[in-house]
Amino acid sequence: MDFGLTEEQQMVQDMARNFAEKEIAPFVEEDEKNHYYRREILKKMGELDLLGWSLPEEYGGNGMGWMEGCIALYEISKVHTSWRLSISGNNWGPAMTINEYGTEEQKQKYIPGLLDGSAVGSFAMTEPNTGSDVASMKTFAEDKGDHWLINGTKTWISGGHTSDTGLLYAVTEKGAGAKGISCFIIDYNNTPGVTRIPINEKVGMWSAPTSELIFENAVVPKENLLGPLNKGFYICMWQLNNTRMGCATGAAALSRACLDGAVQYAQERIQFGKPIGKYQMIQAQIAEMILEDEAAKNLVYRAAWLKDNKLPSQQATSIAKLAGCNAAVHAANLAMKIYGSYGYSNEYPCGRWLRDCKQFETLEGTSNMHQMIIANIELGYAPNR
């Protein structure tokens, strides 16, 4: 296996790194403090083709694959983890799912805006009493003949109140469990009956909007059904196998941000007449961070390679997501220790790293769920799609 980047991939890496340093880095602390989502950054991502990975050029895709997308997302997420959600929320969520299951009319109508950054995307499956058990959702879409009438509540939806185009998973056949769920495309700017409430009291991810969505007799056109009726659960699982790559890449990148920060601080901080990086205990902690960071990054690349080569990738995606999550949480904790008392102040980013890393243990499948996916596939109890 060749671990080197091609010339084109190096160009993608440099472009994404330069973009993050120029367009995102100057505003990180200000946006964190104000819990502010800077929508214009999404538009700039679209202008640079940073939202079009693995999608046809005829709909605005950039002609490149998963590997290049992960390389770019890694560079962006190192600077500010909140912004990794834009690629999953636009590209690897709605756009990719509409491209796979949508009609030609749906593809032409919705995908270009998601990829050029003029539209904010989202996907809604989680409910107040439905997290890992997706099949137990209660939001109901009633067939009214010439339209769907939707009632229910979704929560913890990334980008929910800023979204223009979103996927909604809802029950269309009561009592049928996973076989009675369908997927809908929601035009949030033109759908009456939807109330969107920002969730501002969060531990971390302060610049990434999170929302509660309340559907009260929301009217959705019949043509906005995505894919076959009652096949939404399978569409949802297919989609998650893609959007989880955003989680895996973002977690690995956050691990690297903690490592880079810890190395720099260990070289600058003088105690007992020499940099603390000269002390073996600090070196041991940094070595731990390197070990887990390198493993997480290469597991992301492995999953991306499998996807680009149309090979089964579900287990590899869950492995990458779980490894990245563990690496990020451990690295954030060790960075806090290495920075000492300064790590506990807002003068340095340790607090943000520690707050942001914890979301990876829950988002798009808890760590427990990913352990089950990995083990069940290995044991032969579930297929590796």
Side-chain angles (χ1 to χ4, degrees), residues 86-371:
S86 291
I87 290 180
S88 286
N90 276 47
N91 185 171
W92 293 338
M96 184 168 283
T97 309
I98 293 170
N99 182 65
E100 180 71 14
Y101 293 99
T103 64
E104 183 60 30
E105 182 181 358
Q106 289 172 337
K107 294 177 186 180
Q108 292 181 8
K109 182 175 182 180
Y110 295 109
I111 295 178
L114 291 166
L115 300 190
D116 67 20
S118 60
V120 176
S122 66
F123 46 93
M125 56 191 75
T126 302
E127 297 183 1
N129 293 310
T130 301
S132 298
D133 185 8
V134 176
S136 69
M137 67 174 59
K138 303 301 182 188
T139 297
F140 182 60
E142 183 180 1
D143 188 346
K144 303 299 285 185
D146 61 345
H147 66 273
W148 297 95
L149 196 66
I150 299 180
N151 286 279
T153 300
K154 299 292 183 179
T155 193
W156 294 109
I157 307 307
S158 297
H161 62 277
T162 59
S163 177
D164 301 295
T165 302
L167 300 185
L168 172 72
Y169 294 91
V171 174
T172 42
E173 185 176 334
K174 291 183 177 180
K179 295 181 179 180
I181 294 171
S182 297
C183 182
F184 299 89
I185 303 171
I186 306 296
D187 178 355
Y188 282 106
N189 298 320
N190 296 290
T191 301
V194 183
T195 302
R196 301 190 280 175
I197 304 170
I199 299 175
N200 293 322
E201 298 302 318
K202 299 186 296 182
V203 170
M205 300 292 288
W206 289 346
S207 294
T210 307
S211 322
E212 182 177 63
L213 308 177
I214 301 172
F215 295 83
E216 297 175 295
N217 291 327
V219 176
V220 175
K222 292 299 290 289
E223 62 266 24
N224 281 35
L225 175 70
L226 180 65
L229 181 68
N230 294 331
K231 294 298 182 181
F233 180 83
Y234 306 97
I235 295 173
C236 181
M237 294 302 106
W238 184 90
Q239 179 212 293
L240 284 173
N241 193 40
N242 296 321
T243 55
R244 282 167 176 164
M245 285 297 291
C247 291
T249 307
L254 180 56
S255 168
R256 186 70 207 191
C258 296
L259 171 59
D260 288 346
V263 168
Q264 181 178 347
Y265 187 80
Q267 292 171 328
E268 296 173 352
R269 176 68 168 170
I270 306 298
Q271 288 290 280
F272 301 102
K274 58 183 179 182
I276 62 172
K278 294 285 187 179
Y279 294 100
Q280 287 184 337
M281 288 298 293
I282 300 296
Q283 292 176 357
Q285 291 172 326
I286 288 175
E288 285 183 41
M289 296 167 77
I290 293 171
L291 180 68
E292 294 184 356
D293 174 72
E294 284 294 312
K297 180 178 67 175
N298 283 288
L299 286 168
V300 167
Y301 289 168
R302 173 175 174 264
W305 182 87
L306 289 170
K307 287 180 178 293
D308 280 334
N309 285 277
K310 312 299 182 185
L311 295 170
S313 62
Q314 186 181 22
Q315 188 187 51
T317 300
S318 284
I319 289 172
K321 199 266 188 180
L322 184 59
C325 166
N326 292 345
V329 171
H330 193 202
N333 191 44
L334 288 178
M336 180 74 78
K337 292 180 180 179
I338 290 171
Y339 276 76
S341 295
Y342 285 106
Y344 207 66
S345 76
N346 288 328
E347 183 180 352
Y348 293 93
C350 297
R352 170 165 57 87
W353 295 334
L354 197 60
R355 291 191 303 271
D356 287 354
C357 74
K358 297 300 290 183
Q359 51 109 13
F360 290 112
E361 294 182 318
T362 302
L363 199 64
E364 298 195 37
T366 64
S367 293
N368 290 350
M369 290 298 298
H370 285 285
Q371 287 176 325

Side-chain angles (χ1 to χ4, degrees), residues 33-73:
K33 181 179 179 181
N34 296 318
H35 293 221
Y36 182 66
Y37 172 66
R38 201 173 290 272
R39 181 167 174 156
E40 64 268 22
I41 290 179
L42 184 72
K43 182 63 176 174
K44 291 177 180 179
M45 284 184 179
E47 291 170 354
L48 289 176
D49 280 339
L50 288 169
L51 299 174
W53 313 107
S54 308
L55 285 167
E57 293 181 69
E58 62 185 296
Y59 304 123
N62 59 24
M64 289 180 274
W66 281 97
M67 186 67 76
E68 290 78 17
C70 289
I71 289 168
L73 180 57

